[in-house]
Amino acid sequence: MILCAHFGLADDAGTMLLALVALAENLTPVVQALPPDGLLADLGGAEKYFGQDAGQLAAVLRVRALAHLGLDCAIGLAPNPMLAGMAARDAGPGTTRTVRPDEVDRFLAAKPVRALDGVGRTTAGRLCAYGLDTVGRLAGAPPGTVQRILGARQGRDLQERARGIDRTPVVPNASARSLAAERTFPRDELDPVRHHRALLSLAEELGVRLRGSGQACRSLTLTVRYADRSTTTRTRALREPSAHSPALADLARALHAALGLQRARVRGISLRAEGLLAAEHTAHQLTFAPEDERARRIEAVADRARAKFGPRAIVPGSLSDAA
């Protein structure tokens, strides 16, 4: 069985997540961090080694997290990572939701298609327009129909997930799949200029962190938190995987503009770089625009200066007096 646990950590609690991974590694060496607040663990070998079932091992992990770190968690147990993640989302804090192999169809049948990994608002809208609004209906639809709606590859992959099939392995010590940064305003902020300065600062920070770790991202997720503690979240893919700060800033501004905020009282803005991959595996589309290549060369020089003299050694002029 695969265990998925979420501990409700803040985005910046990276050290705490590492400690939780270390606790899980006392049960099984096959543990993968899921930033910002979760982990996956393959308990197959541990069940045989300790002579306990997955539910008992999940209870041990919960007790150790409470005893050592004062953290409770929601745990999902299922035959594969996708199902374990869905089960964990169903579980409340301090509870474990178990989906056994013979329960998979019943567990998935009534869930909305948005509950499946990889189904966003646009894809869900296209499926619902054809009456495929639940996972069960999607699983039972003729494969040719689904592939005509979504395309051959996406339709095939998504229908497999609707039938509870996930071939993704748990990868020990896997790199983080996302990076996040947040700016909180000292008071409810209505000034759009300050909103845009925060966006630029977030994009610059993520760009520096991505380039420093030799990574690029495929998409950005923007979350705006308001005075009443409600939030709005939007995600959009980059035209190509990138760690180039201006490209990140352009997309962040586009996401923000799409929200159509007028006099919104904003308390905080966060930006998450998702779909991370090694920068060496990405390709940059040549633009033949000298200013773009010049900006990238300047960025590389600035990164070297920051590595030598500290993160505040070079700051964009528009952020020179930013907090």
Side-chain angles (χ1 to χ4, degrees):
M1 294 283 276
I2 305 298
L3 176 149
C4 179
H6 288 284
F7 297 87
L9 302 177
D11 284 343
D12 59 353
T15 302
M16 188 71 78
L17 180 56
L18 291 177
L20 290 165
V21 169
L23 283 179
E25 286 176 338
N26 290 327
L27 297 175
T28 172
V30 190
V31 181
Q32 176 179 334
L34 296 178
D37 74 334
L39 59 84
L40 284 173
D42 188 335
L43 300 180
E47 291 179 87
K48 297 177 182 177
Y49 182 83
F50 291 106
Q52 296 184 317
D53 63 28
Q56 293 171 312
L57 293 173
V60 170
L61 177 62
R62 172 174 284 111
V63 169
R64 289 181 178 177
L66 280 168
H68 291 275
L69 302 170
L71 293 172
D72 206 344
C73 55
I75 294 178
L77 294 171
N80 60 54
M82 179 194 75
L83 293 171
M86 295 175 73
R89 290 193 289 272
D90 280 359
T95 65
T96 298
R97 175 72 165 94
T98 301
V99 180
R100 304 196 181 281
D102 60 351
E103 300 171 337
V104 170
D105 291 344
R106 186 166 63 254
F107 172 71
L108 290 174
K111 289 188 177 297
V113 289
R114 281 293 299 271
L116 287 176
D117 292 348
V119 178
R121 179 177 299 177
T122 300
T123 300
R126 291 165 66 186
L127 290 169
C128 290
Y130 287 86
L132 304 178
D133 56 343
T134 67
V135 176
R137 288 174 179 164
L138 176 60
T145 299
V146 179
Q147 291 176 28
R148 280 194 297 273
I149 296 171
L150 300 177
R153 181 174 179 180
Q154 185 183 9
R156 182 172 57 252
D157 292 346
L158 189 55
Q159 199 164 35
E160 279 195 346
R161 290 198 288 275
R163 292 168 178 165
I165 300 170
D166 177 24
R167 298 182 176 85
T168 306
V170 179
V171 183
N173 304 317
S175 298
R177 291 182 177 180
S178 65
L179 289 176
E182 182 175 4
R183 298 291 180 270
T184 300
F185 298 111
R187 57 182 177 276
D188 301 338
E189 186 58 69
L190 286 80
D191 187 352
V193 174
R194 292 186 179 274
H195 297 171
H196 283 88
R197 285 167 59 88
L199 287 173
L200 178 59
S201 173
L202 291 166
E204 181 69 21
E205 177 183 335
L206 288 180
V208 170
R209 290 168 63 187
L210 286 167
R211 295 190 298 275
S213 61
Q215 295 178 293
C217 69
R218 296 186 177 92
S219 63
L220 291 180
T221 293
L222 171 70
T223 300
V224 178
R225 180 161 48 87
Y226 306 104
D228 62 358
R229 297 187 179 180
S230 64
T231 60
T232 302
T233 300
R234 294 289 185 273
T235 300
R236 189 178 299 178
L238 291 147
R239 288 186 297 177
E240 61 184 19
S242 180
H244 187 38
S245 292
L248 303 181
D250 287 346
L251 182 55
R253 284 191 289 262
L255 284 165
H256 186 268
L259 297 179
L261 302 180
Q262 298 296 323
R263 297 285 292 171
R265 297 166 59 204
V266 175
R267 193 65 180 179
I269 299 176
S270 66
L271 195 64
R272 181 181 297 279
E274 299 182 321
L276 304 192
L277 71 166
E280 63 186 18
H281 296 154
T282 67
H284 168 51
Q285 179 67 44
L286 295 177
T287 64
F288 300 104
E291 60 273 15
D292 179 67
E293 296 307 315
R294 188 182 307 116
R296 291 175 183 272
R297 289 197 297 271
I298 292 173
E299 190 172 68
V301 172
D303 286 344
R304 289 196 291 271
R306 293 187 186 100
K308 186 173 183 179
F309 300 109
R312 300 291 294 176
I314 295 181
V315 179
S318 56
L319 297 174
S320 59
D321 60 344

